[in-house]
């Protein structure tokens, strides 16, 4: 089967699978190009309230397909950054479910997600120093925002892999699950995400990303008499589950 990204949508959660097991799910140029288009479609799909990004089989993603770097390293890097930014800019919650290797470009993809849950045997690495590649400035800043400058330098300078527990301590990972527990925990947590207000989540994503020009917009959305805030308060007072309906308007 040709290397690809494939996805399914179940109960409000889209699962995107990096599918290239012959090369530990390494990303080809075609796969990098798929990411922005796929995520743009999921962003406007009212059936999708959250996205899980994972890898086929026992590996998340071993990075970029090195053959593409030999042909045109600058183009391959540009494609990876576009894919990373498409995930980072996605308006709904994203979660990377990581097994096995999450290395190089794979770490870029996982780092662009809002959250990262990992199997206890997962390994993480940022490896441009092994290839003499300058890691993109935007990717470096995102890494620093997750793990701080000291750990970012450790990863970037050495290219060494770290285990899931160290990734958890440094902030690269949000939860580590025992063997066999990752799928269950991701399913449980994404059900929670899908049940919550997209209004709250979308605003939180913008604010945590540092956007400062949309306060008035979110205040107006919150004040709508038929909006999520009114529904949430009413549901709390009536001791029932809220029925949130807000979704991001199509551009």
């Amino acid at each position: 089967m040709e290397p690809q990204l494939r996805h399914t949508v179940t109960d409000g959660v889209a699962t995107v699978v990096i599918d290239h097991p012959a090369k530990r799910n390494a990303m080809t140029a075609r796969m990098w190009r798929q990411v922005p288009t796929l995520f743009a479609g999921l962003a406007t799909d009212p059936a999708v309230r959250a996205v899980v990004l994972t890898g086929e089989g026992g590996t998340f993603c071993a990075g970029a397909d090195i053959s593409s770097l030999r042909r045109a390293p600058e183009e391959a890097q540009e494609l990876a950054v576009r894919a990373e930014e498409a995930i980072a800019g996605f308006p709904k919650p994203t979660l990377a479910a990581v097994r096995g290797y999450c290395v190089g470009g794979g770490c870029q993809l996982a780092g662009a997600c809002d959250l990262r849950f990992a199997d206890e045997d997962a390994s993480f690495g940022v490896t441009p120093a092994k290839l003499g590649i300058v890691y993109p400035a935007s990717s470096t800043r995102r890494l620093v925002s997750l793990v701080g400058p000291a750990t970012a330098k450790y990863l970037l300078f050495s290219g060494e892999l770290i285990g899931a527990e160290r990734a958890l301590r440094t902030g690269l990972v949000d939860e580590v699950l025992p063997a066999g527990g990752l799928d269950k925990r991701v399913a449980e947590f994404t059900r929670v995400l899908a049940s919550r207000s997209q209004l709250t989540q979308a605003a939180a994503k913008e604010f945590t990303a540092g956007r400062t020009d949309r306060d008035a917009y979110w205040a107006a959305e919150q004040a709508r008499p038929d909006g999520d805030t009114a529904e949430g308060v009413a549901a709390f007072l009536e001791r029932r589950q809220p029925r949130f309906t807000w979704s991001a308007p199509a551009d």
Side-chain angles (χ1 to χ4, degrees):
M1 184 178 293
E2 186 175 0
Q4 62 177 323
L5 300 181
R6 52 184 175 81
H7 77 282
T8 57
V9 179
T10 304
D11 296 330
V13 178
T15 300
V16 177
V17 180
I18 304 167
D19 189 357
H20 189 189
K23 291 194 176 182
R24 293 182 175 176
N25 296 329
M27 294 285 290
T28 64
R30 178 177 177 271
M31 293 167 75
W32 287 124
R33 291 188 183 97
Q34 275 187 279
V35 173
T37 302
L38 173 58
F39 274 76
L42 296 176
T44 58
D45 186 344
V48 174
R49 301 180 69 91
V51 172
V52 174
L53 179 65
T54 194
E56 174 64 25
T59 295
F60 180 77
C61 175
D65 189 329
I66 300 301
S67 62
S68 66
L69 296 178
R70 171 172 285 183
R71 290 193 299 271
E74 295 83 6
E75 179 186 6
Q77 192 172 64
E78 182 179 345
L79 291 174
V81 169
R82 287 179 185 172
E84 180 185 359
E85 294 300 330
I87 296 174
F90 189 72
K92 305 171 188 180
T94 54
L95 187 152
V98 180
R99 292 183 186 81
Y101 290 107
C102 179
V103 179
C107 218
Q108 277 182 267
L109 294 175
C113 291
D114 297 310
L115 300 165
R116 286 149 295 281
F117 288 9
D119 183 88
E120 63 183 359
D121 293 328
S123 297
F124 298 81
V126 184
T127 54
K130 292 184 176 181
L131 298 169
I133 293 171
V134 175
Y135 204 53
S138 60
S139 305
T140 301
R141 288 191 291 269
R142 182 166 290 113
L143 181 63
V144 170
S145 74
L146 289 174
V147 303
T151 299
K153 289 175 183 177
Y154 176 92
L155 294 168
L156 285 163
F157 290 1
S158 70
E160 293 292 290
L161 303 188
I162 62 172
E165 287 298 334
R166 183 168 181 179
L168 179 65
R169 291 196 305 271
T170 61
L172 187 58
V173 163
D174 298 286
E175 290 191 18
V176 173
L177 286 305
L182 182 62
D183 287 343
K184 180 181 179 182
R185 175 58 180 150
V186 168
E188 290 173 346
F189 192 75
T190 52
R191 278 198 297 271
V192 170
L193 295 179
S195 73
R196 302 307 194 215
S197 168
Q198 290 188 74
L199 172 69
T200 303
Q201 293 167 344
K205 286 197 72 160
E206 288 194 0
F207 292 159
T208 56
R211 189 162 180 177
T212 60
D213 62 339
R214 295 252 289 175
D215 296 40
Y217 170 82
W218 292 116
E221 290 295 293
Q222 180 172 259
R224 287 172 52 186
D226 60 344
D228 275 13
T229 303
E231 166 62 14
V233 171
F236 179 84
L237 295 174
E238 296 166 13
R239 298 185 179 182
R240 61 173 174 80
Q241 291 296 314
R243 295 180 290 272
F244 294 123
T245 59
W246 188 92
S247 60
D251 292 334

